[in-house]
Amino acid sequence: MKIEQETPFKLIANCIPVKGAKRSSICDLHRGSIQLIPNDLYELIKNHEGSSILEIKKKYDHKYDTVIDEYFEFLIDHEFIFFTTTPELFPKMSMNWYQPNTITNAIIDVGKQSDYNIYHALENLNELRCKHVEFRFFKKISLEEIKTIVEFLDDQKSSIISIDFTIPFDNDFEIETIQNFMSTNGRVSSFRYYGGRENKFISPIDSRRGYIIITDTIISNEKCCGIIDSSLFSVNISTFTESQKFNSCLNRKISIDTNGHIKNCPSMMKSYGNITAISLNEVVEQKEFKKYWNISKDKINVCKGCEFRHVCTDCRAYIEDPENLYSKPLKCGYDPYTNTWEDWSKNPLKSKAIEYYGLQE
């Protein structure tokens, strides 16, 4: 491959390098993909963007010409860069994240013993101009009951624009029926069935919404929350920019557990009152409720050295040291200082925290 040597290079604006402790990554926020790179390549990009390859080689006295050519072949092959004589005309993508809504997303848990009024909760969320809601049912629920929830939102002209349903698998489940339901109900983004016979992903009915996930995992309560896995990375502009200054899981989130207790997340111990006695708006006004919102990955022990930190979720419900607000997520088995993954539940150093949270099983 003949590489342009004399024209300055620019990184594609939505292809953003992230430095880790031992290696780095380039997050392609357009394609939704990640490429791992050596830290040397990260430094080359950060220090020399806007220069030509020839100028870079001269700065290193031509000692590393072969390596530099190989790096640029990689960048060109993955379409991360382009060459231009006017690099100053191509600004970097803004890392500012802004949402006018007081609350952007919510989780509503419903169990066999739940006796609070979910419709009252939805009215409260509408007052907060919430956009996204996940319903998690720890009991059987029919499609007719789900239809009633969606129709209620339609009648209320609710601010909620997307709903995800996590429900137990039903042997009478029919893919076509659920897809037809999502096709005619634009608010419904996905169905996640747990306790199924297999693990299966059924593609969206369009490019952005309407997908179905079936998992053989049994989800019996809120303790399923907080697992960190590469398959769960969210490589997009919204997550990436929000994570620069805010917590990628709890920022602008509110939740109601199966008992009606209002929390940052249903898995967390702290309750700020019960939906039967206090409004969600009153809870959001409490300063204590917002204390997790600004805990970004760059503030969290271990995570701040991770090359995946801006596309990863961040659970504060289960952390390695329950006494340290900035402790690493308990259910993460990745070590950015060795670039290895392990089964978090079998790490002896996590045993005290696992016992503290009652996660032994």
Side-chain angles (χ1 to χ4, degrees):
M1 175 191 297
K2 185 177 180 180
I3 302 174
E4 173 60 55
Q5 297 283 323
E6 298 183 2
T7 305
F9 83 94
K10 282 289 292 184
L11 201 64
I12 300 293
N14 53 18
C15 296
I16 304 177
V18 178
K19 187 176 183 180
K22 292 293 184 181
R23 65 182 179 186
S24 299
S25 66
I26 295 180
C27 297
D28 187 332
L29 305 182
H30 175 69
R31 295 184 176 92
S33 62
I34 302 173
Q35 288 291 332
L36 297 171
I37 61 173
N39 279 350
D40 285 346
L41 177 51
Y42 172 89
E43 296 296 341
L44 184 150
I45 294 170
K46 297 300 288 185
N47 295 332
H48 301 295
E49 185 179 9
S51 299
S52 70
I53 296 176
L54 187 57
E55 288 171 334
I56 296 170
K57 289 178 176 178
K58 286 180 179 179
K59 287 181 180 179
Y60 290 99
D61 296 324
H62 293 281
K63 293 179 180 179
Y64 308 106
D65 286 6
T66 301
V67 174
I68 290 171
D69 282 338
E70 289 175 354
Y71 281 163
F72 274 94
E73 284 181 13
F74 169 85
L75 295 172
I76 293 167
D77 286 345
H78 287 85
E79 300 178 327
F80 289 147
I81 63 171
F82 64 98
F83 296 92
T84 175
T85 56
T86 56
E88 68 279 1
L89 297 181
F90 299 91
K92 294 185 181 299
M93 190 181 81
S94 171
M95 288 292 105
N96 292 330
W97 181 90
Y98 172 74
Q99 281 285 346
N101 312 74
T102 306
I103 292 293
T104 59
N105 65 107
I107 297 176
I108 297 178
D109 279 357
V110 183
K112 293 179 180 179
Q113 306 303 319
S114 298
D115 60 0
Y116 69 89
N117 188 327
I118 64 171
Y119 299 102
H120 173 61
L122 289 171
E123 289 174 338
N124 273 222
L125 288 174
N126 193 44
E127 292 174 4
L128 292 169
R129 311 308 297 166
C130 179
K131 296 296 184 183
H132 311 282
V133 175
E134 178 184 2
F135 275 97
R136 302 192 303 189
F137 288 90
F138 303 117
K139 65 173 187 176
K140 288 193 69 173
I141 183 169
S142 68
L143 186 57
E144 289 303 314
E145 292 174 284
I146 290 174
K147 285 180 181 178
T148 302
I149 294 172
V150 177
E151 289 170 358
F152 174 82
L153 295 174
D154 290 340
D155 292 341
Q156 294 290 310
K157 294 181 172 58
S158 175
S159 64
I160 296 168
I161 60 174
S162 75
I163 317 169
D164 297 300
F165 289 100
T166 298
I167 60 179
F169 184 81
D170 189 329
N171 288 324
D172 296 327
F173 160 76
E174 294 180 351
I175 292 175
E176 187 175 348
T177 299
I178 299 302
Q179 288 181 323
N180 288 338
F181 174 70
M182 288 191 286
S183 293
T184 55
N185 292 276
R187 295 182 198 270
V188 183
S189 296
S190 71
F191 277 82
R192 296 178 176 90
Y193 290 90
Y194 61 86
R197 295 184 294 267
E198 60 181 343
N199 294 312
K200 190 174 184 180
F201 176 81
I202 301 166
S203 299
I205 54 177
D206 60 38
S207 61
R208 300 184 63 185
R209 55 167 291 278
Y211 61 89
I212 301 170
I213 294 175
I214 302 171
T215 175
D216 58 8
T217 302
I218 302 297
I219 302 176
S220 56
N221 55 47
E222 74 286 346
K223 290 185 178 181
C224 65
C225 188
I227 295 175
I228 308 298
D229 186 90
S230 60
S231 65
L232 302 175
F233 289 165
S234 184
V235 190
N236 57 61
I237 291 174
S238 179
T239 299
F240 195 95
T241 53
E242 183 178 13
S243 72
Q244 302 298 311
K245 294 183 179 179
F246 302 102
N247 186 273
S248 55
C249 182
L250 299 177
N251 183 42
R252 310 290 182 92
K253 173 177 281 179
I254 198 164
S255 303
I256 301 171
D257 73 6
T258 55
N259 297 311
H261 297 306
I262 303 168
K263 301 179 176 181
N264 295 103
C265 166
S267 302
M268 302 182 88
M269 297 180 182
K270 172 67 176 177
S271 169
Y272 299 90
N274 196 284
I275 189 64
T276 60
I278 187 173
S279 72
L280 298 183
N281 193 54
E282 289 176 288
V283 169
V284 171
E285 291 301 313
Q286 298 179 31
K287 184 178 180 180
E288 177 76 3
F289 179 77
K290 299 178 182 178
K291 72 177 182 179
Y292 297 98
W293 289 12
N294 296 323
I295 301 178
S296 68
K297 284 284 193 179
D298 287 323
K299 297 177 182 177
I300 297 171
N301 297 338
V302 181
C303 295
K304 59 189 176 184
C306 182
E307 64 273 27
F308 304 119
R309 63 187 178 275
H310 294 308
V311 296
C312 182
T313 55
D314 176 56
C315 181
R316 297 291 87 199
Y318 304 116
I319 53 181
E320 289 187 345
D321 180 0
E323 301 299 318
N324 179 4
L325 199 59
Y326 300 94
S327 181
K328 177 186 175 182
L330 176 64
K331 296 184 182 182
C332 177
Y334 183 66
D335 184 348
Y337 297 94
T338 61
N339 302 137
T340 57
W341 290 87
E342 66 174 12
D343 184 343
W344 67 270
S345 65
K346 296 180 181 179
N347 186 334
L349 299 178
K350 296 176 183 270
S351 58
K352 287 186 178 180
I354 290 173
E355 183 177 354
Y356 174 84
Y357 292 114
L359 299 173
Q360 292 90 331
E361 297 181 1

